[in-house]
Amino acid sequence: MATETEVGELLHQRGWRTAFTVTDRVNAWAALVSAIERGYSDDIYEYTNDLYCRNWLHEAWILLDEHIVQLWTPRIKALDDRYRAATVDDDGQALDQFHRLPCPDLWWWRRHPRILTGDLGRSLRSAGAIGTDPDAA
């Protein structure tokens, strides 16, 4: 098991654009979850790019020292729960129209926002996603 710095460097060597820290990626996941709860209005490509912050956490978790995992797990679990509440499970059918879905254990790729607004909402709706549309009110 490795320190946060070592894991950031290792994942950077494996292709991540920078040597992120757990704090960086947890903050990015928190920002994405908050945006989804309000109604994510950027486009589908930004959305799929933003989802990768959760992938980084998934990859880092098996490499990190146990005490770091124990420290951050409650925060990530709370964010995961909020994400589940703000999204709809469609087994990835809508997102798969725009981005090849990663392996099945990356469950956050198999969901789409419940509030479908802006460019993302239009794209997902065109792929069959069902949700609420605050813009139509």
Side-chain angles (χ1 to χ4, degrees), residues 15-74:
W16 287 92
R17 67 179 159 87
T18 192
F20 293 112
T21 66
V22 174
T23 301
D24 292 335
R25 299 296 79 197
V26 168
N27 288 342
W29 185 228
L32 177 58
V33 169
S34 292
I36 291 168
E37 289 170 334
R38 290 188 312 271
Y40 189 102
S41 59
D42 215 334
D43 66 32
I44 187 74
Y45 306 104
E46 277 302 310
Y47 181 72
T48 56
N49 185 60
D50 289 347
L51 279 178
Y52 277 96
C53 66
R54 187 60 180 84
N55 287 42
W56 189 95
L57 290 167
H58 180 78
E59 288 183 36
W61 240 233
I62 59 172
L63 303 170
L64 285 165
D65 288 332
E66 184 62 29
H67 76 278
I68 297 170
V69 169
Q70 288 177 355
L71 177 70
W72 284 101
T73 293

Side-chain angles (χ1 to χ4, degrees), residues 4 8 50 63 80-81 89 91 99 114 118 126:
E4 198 173 327
D50 289 347
L63 303 170
D80 287 351
D81 290 346
D89 184 350
D91 200 31
H99 189 283
R114 189 173 302 283
S126 76

